[in-house]
Amino acid sequence: MSTMTTKNVAAPTTAKPIHDYTPYLTAYSRAREESAISALAPVAELPGMISFAGGAPNPGTFEITNLDLTFKNGTTSKLGEKTTQAALQYGATPGMPDLLAFFEQLQLRVHGAPKYANPHLKRRILIGNGSQDLLSKAMAALVKPGDSVLVEARCYPGMLSILDPMVKTMSVKLVAVPIDEDGIDPTALAAILDAWPARKRKPHVLYTVPTSQNPTGATTPLARRRAVYAIAQRHDFLVLEDDPYVYLQYTLPADAVAEQQQQKKQPLVDAPPHPASAPSRNEADLALGARFAATLVPSYMSLDTDGRVLRFDSLSKVVGGGIRIGFLTGPAPIYERLEFDVQATSLQPTSLAQIIVLALVRDVWHSMPDLFLAHTARLSAFYRSRRDAMLRAMSAARLVEDGLVEMANVPTAGMFLWFKLTTVKDALALARGPAMDRKVLLLPGIHCVPSVKPGEKDAYVRATYALATEEMMVEGMKRLRECIDLAMRNEWLQQRQQEEEERAGRVSQLTIAVARGAQTVVENLMGTLLCGLADSRDADEDEDVKRPLK
């Protein structure tokens, strides 16, 4: 893979603030208006208001009256009837205010305050039913018929599922930007846009996964992020920063978490939910969270002076995939468009999921971002150990040592390995055939290619180390080696069969040609003989004419 240089793509010294987002938005999104019922919700909460307007069910009819939660550290949370009713009732479209407040604190802690050059521009947060839903809504708001969308040359399959109908029905084009072991290549991105045809509308959206890029596992360093942002300013496009693995960066020394665990005081089992009591009860966790925060690669959002970054965060990897809580952070004008979209589609993020997360925030992390960050530091240490176990399993099977597999990189975040099968041309055939037969599930790299050509083959594979035990990893890599050996034989046999078919075809063509040639020769000979006979007959007739009568 190539090594990127940042020549000619250095970050500009001045901001280029966006004052009008209308040119970026689709007609569909601009036509959205606030739901009439949602507009009345704040008024319904006014003291003394008697509301006949909404359609909320009577909470007295709810079958669930209380929820008890038990967290991993032993803390329990009894929600009570009032909170349980709130968990089962309709809520605000942007999300529950207390949960929004925590996410605001978290974004300030990790990414800093907004740096918008436009003093009137506000940064807002919108909670959604998972970041995937928010990504889908963002693309619907920003991608117009005939647009070109910048995506990484290996792209998250979930995003390709969002964009594929647009490609098929709206004539949208996906522009694949080259990536390498350090993620997106700014030099290649600049070259694509600098050479863009003058009469063709330039892309105004870049979708990128900067931390543990999905599927390659590459993390884009700060210098590249600055370079990409500078290109966004020069060519005037928005950056959609999808960052579900941001808190799974392996940036702390391997023994840092273990050391913290040894020094850590009594866990916060009996601590009251008042933030002021937390520092004295768990100083080690607070110190770990602060240390972890200081090591994270700065985000695109932290660099944003113009209001051109939409950031997507997710709790799927750090709380639970089924909780379906994600949140978008970005400029208020785009936030408003997406809020209206939520009002018209899913109405709101799920109240029950929000209440569970809010209980976790209050009773375990005491509404303190650094305690949340300490939790994610331990998760990153766990996944780092899983990565190392997977690499050991690959080594035990001698996949790299014997030249059967070529590692694209050693990931420094996330939960994926990305590698090339050097002796097999078609990873999809291997995954669907020998690997499936031997019960080894892999994601073929062809599913991550933005625009697949008919008959295109790809030798790359994504493998996750999140779920398998070390024993399963060892056995799985052993089976993968067997699959590669079998696939090599199958490809060899297919090649031989193809060569035999081609040879048979050539022989058949030669036989036909010979037969046709022989027929031509015979026809020519017959023609010559017949001509000779005719000439001889004519000569005899002439002789008869000349012979005198007796």
Side-chain angles (χ1 to χ4, degrees):
M1 292 185 174
S2 63
T3 301
M4 181 289 259
T5 63
T6 55
K7 184 178 180 181
N8 299 326
V9 290
T13 57
T14 57
K16 296 183 178 180
I18 299 173
H19 294 280
D20 181 13
Y21 287 88
T22 304
Y24 302 93
L25 295 167
T26 63
Y28 170 87
S29 181
R30 294 196 306 271
R32 285 282 192 204
E33 295 182 357
E34 185 177 17
S35 162
I37 295 177
S38 296
L40 293 174
V43 182
E45 298 299 323
L46 293 176
M49 182 64 66
I50 299 174
S51 176
F52 298 135
N58 190 305
T61 65
F62 296 164
E63 287 294 318
I64 303 171
T65 57
N66 182 55
L67 292 172
D68 289 340
L69 302 175
T70 301
F71 300 105
K72 202 167 187 178
N73 69 352
T75 300
T76 59
S77 180
K78 190 179 183 68
L79 297 186
E81 185 175 355
K82 184 177 180 181
T83 303
T84 301
Q85 286 181 355
L88 300 174
Q89 189 58 278
Y90 290 121
T93 296
M96 291 185 170
D98 289 348
L99 188 56
L100 281 169
F102 176 74
F103 288 153
E104 287 276 6
Q105 292 180 52
L106 181 63
Q107 299 300 61
L108 288 171
R109 177 69 180 89
V110 176
H111 309 285
K115 301 179 178 66
Y116 298 153
N118 179 357
H120 304 292
L121 184 62
K122 304 299 181 183
R123 190 173 79 183
R124 301 291 301 275
I125 293 178
L126 179 66
I127 300 175
N129 291 312
S131 59
Q132 182 77 7
D133 185 51
L134 293 171
L135 283 165
S136 178
K137 287 174 166 52
M139 285 299 182
L142 297 171
V143 179
K144 307 168 187 175
D147 271 358
S148 297
V149 179
L150 297 165
V151 297
E152 290 154 330
R154 298 292 182 155
C155 187
Y156 165 48
M159 176 50 66
L160 294 180
S161 295
I162 292 172
L163 294 173
D164 186 57
M166 297 181 178
V167 171
K168 292 176 178 177
T169 65
M170 296 167 53
S171 299
V172 169
K173 302 292 189 297
L174 303 185
V175 181
V177 181
I179 57 175
D180 59 21
E181 65 273 14
D182 286 328
I184 192 169
D185 185 340
T187 302
L189 174 62
I192 290 170
L193 294 171
D194 289 343
W196 199 264
R199 295 184 178 181
K200 187 178 179 182
R201 188 166 67 236
K202 278 188 176 181
H204 60 267
V205 170
L206 165 67
Y207 170 76
T208 180
V209 181
T211 308
S212 186
Q213 196 272 343
N214 192 350
T216 68
T219 295
T220 306
L222 177 58
R224 285 197 175 194
R225 298 186 192 204
R226 284 177 172 155
V228 169
Y229 188 81
I231 297 168
Q233 290 183 301
R234 189 162 78 245
H235 292 279
D236 192 23
F237 59 80
L238 303 178
V239 177
L240 272 59
E241 180 179 28
D242 185 12
D243 218 0
Y245 308 102
V246 61
Y247 297 117
L248 299 184
Q249 297 183 49
Y250 313 148
T251 49
L252 289 178
D255 59 349
V257 174
E259 180 182 346
Q260 181 269 346
Q261 288 290 85
Q262 293 175 358
Q263 296 177 354
K264 172 178 179 178
K265 295 184 179 181
Q266 185 69 21
L268 285 169
V269 175
D270 303 318
H274 193 282
S277 67
S280 62
R281 297 297 300 267
N282 208 351
E283 294 175 359
D285 260 7
L286 288 168
L288 176 63
R291 187 179 179 187
F292 186 51
T295 66
L296 300 177
V297 181
S299 64
Y300 284 106
M301 188 171 74
S302 71
L303 306 175
D304 189 17
T305 57
D306 302 352
R308 63 178 68 252
V309 174
L310 291 178
R311 179 176 173 80
F312 299 83
D313 284 278
S314 173
L315 297 187
S316 292
K317 314 303 180 187
V318 296
V319 175
I323 205 75
R324 305 315 304 144
I325 293 291
F327 53 102
L328 171 147
T329 311
I334 297 181
Y335 157 92
E336 181 185 68
R337 295 292 97 202
L338 299 182
E339 180 188 11
F340 291 171
D341 193 345
V342 173
Q343 288 178 2
T345 54
S346 54
L347 301 182
Q348 61 161 103
T350 304
S351 297
L352 181 57
Q354 290 183 86
I355 284 289
I356 292 173
V357 172
L358 189 55
L360 180 61
V361 166
R362 287 174 171 171
D363 297 340
V364 177
W365 301 325
H366 295 267
S367 300
M368 303 183 74
D370 279 0
L371 293 183
F372 165 79
L373 291 167
H375 161 70
T376 61
R378 285 188 284 273
L379 291 181
S380 70
F382 169 80
Y383 284 112
R384 182 177 188 161
S385 71
R386 308 316 297 154
R387 176 204 66 181
D388 294 344
M390 183 76 106
L391 292 173
R392 288 194 298 271
M394 293 183 73
S395 183
R398 296 191 59 81
L399 290 170
V400 176
E401 291 81 352
D402 290 347
L404 301 178
V405 161
E406 179 182 296
M407 295 295 299
N409 60 67
V410 176
T412 58
M415 52 180 63
F416 301 121
L417 291 183
W418 176 252
F419 51 87
K420 181 180 181 181
L421 307 177
T422 58
T423 58
V424 176
K425 296 178 181 178
D426 191 352
L428 178 61
L430 179 142
R432 288 181 173 177
M436 194 72 72
D437 293 341
R438 282 162 176 73
K439 296 186 177 180
V440 179
L441 200 58
L442 302 163
L443 180 70
I446 196 72
H447 293 319
C448 307
V449 176
S451 299
V452 180
K453 300 174 183 176
E456 182 177 354
K457 295 180 180 179
D458 186 86
Y460 281 90
V461 164
R462 192 194 78 178
T464 179
Y465 43 85
L467 296 176
T469 64
E470 290 195 41
E471 293 77 10
M472 293 166 68
M473 290 179 186
V474 171
E475 177 61 26
M477 289 301 165
K478 177 184 175 184
R479 294 180 189 180
L480 177 58
R481 169 140 195 169
E482 295 171 355
C483 294
I484 292 173
D485 291 340
L486 181 58
M488 288 170 59
R489 288 196 295 271
N490 288 343
E491 285 190 356
W492 180 81
L493 288 173
Q494 290 174 2
Q495 185 175 354
R496 284 291 304 274
Q497 182 180 357
Q498 184 178 353
E499 290 174 353
E500 289 294 334
E501 290 174 353
E502 290 175 353
R503 186 179 298 110
R506 290 195 296 270
V507 170
S508 177
Q509 291 174 357
L510 181 61
T511 302
I512 293 171
V514 169
R516 288 176 177 173
Q519 182 179 356
T520 301
V521 170
V522 170
E523 289 174 350
N524 289 338
L525 287 174
M526 289 297 294
T528 302
L529 288 173
L530 290 172
C531 288
L533 290 173
D535 291 342
S536 176
R537 187 167 54 251
D538 291 342
D540 290 343
E541 290 177 353
D542 290 342
E543 189 66 29
D544 291 339
V545 170
K546 293 177 182 179
R547 185 179 301 118
L549 294 173
K550 294 183 179 180

